[in-house]
Amino acid sequence: MSTSTRTRLRPDQRRSQLVDLGVRLLATRSLDELSIDLLAEEAGISRGLLYHYFGGKQAFHEAVVRRAADDLIEQTAPPGHGDPLEQLAASMTAYVDYVVANRAGYLSLVRAAQGGNETLRAIYDDARSALTDRIFTEDAGGALVEDTPAVRLLVRGWAALAEEVVVTWVTDPAGVSRDELLAILSASLPALVEAISAPS
Amino acid sequence: MSTSTRTRLRPDQRRSQLVDLGVRLLATRSLDELSIDLLAEEAGISRGLLYHYFGGKQAFHEAVVRRAADDLIEQTAPPGHGDPLEQLAASMTAYVDYVVANRAGYLSLVRAAQGGNETLRAIYDDARSALTDRIFTEDAGGALVEDTPAVRLLVRGWAALAEEVVVTWVTDPAGVSRDELLAILSASLPALVEAISAPS
């Protein structure tokens, strides 16, 4: 971006732009590798200015992780048309594409969030909840999933399954094709819901 | 235990006994709360002697987590008779009972292992692998699950589902009964395997 463009930005726009850059940098590296120094170098601005925008590394990481989670939620939104199974399949395809394109950052996000930092964990939990609650709000008619406590719990478990399967596969496909992966992701939810609705 | 019993123990037996005590203490508190001081107090021996046995808090924690993981694997072993679905149900019931009885320690184990410490993560990953690989070795005939790369991946995902569901439920059942929980755990695996074997 040119200096003239930069100078026209308001501080909140500039900060937002820096968060975007952080998310792009996170796509190919871990959160630990995403330093203020690196961001300063890539953005072509001083460390001092970055501290002005973010206050510190922790707050910068939180902003990046929050934006990454928002991106994930947005990019995997169901298309809003088609039957529920088609929408689920489209959403799962977008999820796999997102993780493949942002592998290092996504793995780092999952790992950092599962670990000790309470704020990152909260961002991650919120994103997980948004992704799973969406299934109920966008399927308000109950065509795919009935909204009961047991099904809510099951869908939460299914989200953990999907994450584990995709993280494992993107790290080492072990002979499983992308189509097989997508079949696992799309077929698993309705199969699970059916299994607990009508136990054999 | 009496002093006379204690003096007859070899160092490795004494160490093992201290690890057992650590596991019992972990059942009702987090790993962070499981200090050398607490162990010394509960065991009635000096901190110095504990450092002699374990070298430090980190090594003590590793020994306790490894023992807890071994206990979990042992206590959830399928009975070895009955059809595969009955064995799975028995194993899942034992798993839920284990987590209910060792709630704080189990949650702490899962959280600590998912976090930053590489050694704890490795112990946790080994335990997860042992729990899931068992499904294939104990079902060598393939009655429940066929041994293919896609099914291996799916079973790994199912283990994540089972863990998420049980951890969520034990923290807040949200109206889901123990029987509903057990139904979710037992019915989910065959439903998943069937869904990817014969996609609709």
Side-chain angles (χ1 to χ4, degrees):
Chain A
M1 100 207 83
S2 72
T3 305
S4 63
T5 306
R6 190 189 300 167
T7 51
R8 279 202 307 274
L9 292 174
R10 293 195 316 270
D12 61 326
Q13 293 173 321
R14 181 64 182 142
R15 186 180 185 280
S16 179
Q17 215 175 42
L18 290 166
V19 174
D20 276 341
L21 177 59
V23 171
R24 288 200 299 279
L25 294 172
L26 186 63
T28 54
R29 50 180 62 74
S30 76
L31 206 54
D32 281 344
E33 293 164 341
L34 186 63
S35 64
I36 292 276
D37 279 348
L38 176 72
L39 186 70
E41 189 185 319
E42 294 286 332
I45 61 176
S46 72
R47 285 172 50 91
L49 196 52
L50 285 178
Y51 279 102
H52 166 72
Y53 280 116
F54 295 105
K57 184 180 173 183
Q58 173 66 20
F60 166 56
H61 279 178
E62 286 172 18
V64 168
V65 166
R66 200 177 298 274
R67 180 72 57 86
D70 287 346
D71 285 352
L72 173 64
I73 292 169
E74 190 186 318
Q75 292 188 31
T76 59
H81 53 80
D83 72 37
L85 284 179
E86 284 168 6
Q87 294 213 50
L88 178 66
S91 183
M92 287 295 108
T93 304
Y95 174 51
V96 170
D97 289 346
Y98 179 89
V99 176
V100 168
N102 301 278
R103 184 181 138 176
Y106 183 75
L107 295 180
S108 171
L109 164 65
V110 169
R111 190 160 289 205
Q114 288 173 333
N117 184 303
E118 284 304 316
T119 307
L120 294 186
R121 176 190 296 277
I123 296 170
Y124 170 85
D125 283 346
D126 285 350
R128 260 277 191 92
S129 297
L131 289 167
T132 57
D133 290 349
R134 187 162 70 183
I135 288 170
F136 295 98
T137 53
E138 288 172 2
D139 178 46
L144 186 58
V145 286
E146 203 185 353
D147 194 354
T148 69
V151 172
R152 285 253 168 189
L153 182 62
L154 183 67
V155 168
R156 197 182 160 105
W158 170 78
L161 175 152
E163 183 181 287
E164 175 73 20
V165 161
V166 171
V167 164
T168 301
W169 183 82
V170 82
T171 307
D172 175 15
V176 177
S177 71
R178 185 170 177 280
D179 282 349
E180 284 179 302
L181 175 71
L182 290 172
I184 288 175
L185 294 171
S186 296
S188 52
L189 182 60
L192 287 167
V193 172
E194 192 183 328
I196 72 151
S197 303
S200 59
Chain B
M1 97 207 86
S2 72
T3 305
S4 62
T5 307
R6 189 190 301 167
T7 52
R8 280 202 306 274
L9 292 174
R10 294 195 315 269
D12 61 325
Q13 292 173 320
R14 181 62 182 143
R15 186 179 185 280
S16 179
Q17 213 174 44
L18 291 165
V19 173
D20 276 341
L21 177 58
V23 171
R24 286 200 301 279
L25 294 172
L26 185 64
T28 53
R29 50 178 64 73
S30 76
L31 206 54
D32 282 344
E33 293 164 340
L34 187 62
S35 65
I36 291 277
D37 278 347
L38 177 71
L39 185 70
E41 190 185 319
E42 293 286 331
I45 61 178
S46 73
R47 285 171 51 93
L49 195 52
L50 285 178
Y51 279 102
H52 166 71
Y53 281 117
F54 294 105
K57 184 180 174 183
Q58 172 66 19
F60 166 56
H61 279 179
E62 285 171 19
V64 168
V65 167
R66 200 178 298 275
R67 180 71 58 84
D70 288 346
D71 286 351
L72 173 64
I73 292 169
E74 190 186 316
Q75 291 187 31
T76 59
H81 53 81
D83 73 37
L85 283 180
E86 283 168 7
Q87 294 213 46
L88 178 66
S91 183
M92 286 296 107
T93 304
Y95 174 51
V96 170
D97 289 345
Y98 179 89
V99 175
V100 168
N102 300 276
R103 185 182 137 177
Y106 183 75
L107 296 179
S108 171
L109 164 66
V110 169
R111 190 160 287 206
Q114 288 173 334
N117 183 304
E118 284 305 315
T119 308
L120 294 186
R121 179 189 294 277
I123 296 170
Y124 170 85
D125 283 346
D126 285 350
R128 260 275 190 95
S129 297
L131 289 167
T132 57
D133 291 350
R134 188 163 70 183
I135 288 169
F136 295 98
T137 54
E138 289 172 3
D139 178 47
L144 186 59
V145 286
E146 203 184 354
D147 193 354
T148 69
V151 172
R152 285 250 169 194
L153 183 63
L154 183 67
V155 168
R156 198 182 158 103
W158 170 77
L161 175 152
E163 184 180 287
E164 176 73 21
V165 162
V166 171
V167 164
T168 300
W169 183 82
V170 83
T171 306
D172 175 15
V176 177
S177 71
R178 185 169 177 277
D179 282 349
E180 284 179 302
L181 175 70
L182 290 172
I184 288 176
L185 295 172
S186 297
S188 53
L189 182 60
L192 287 167
V193 171
E194 191 182 328
I196 73 152
S197 304
S200 59

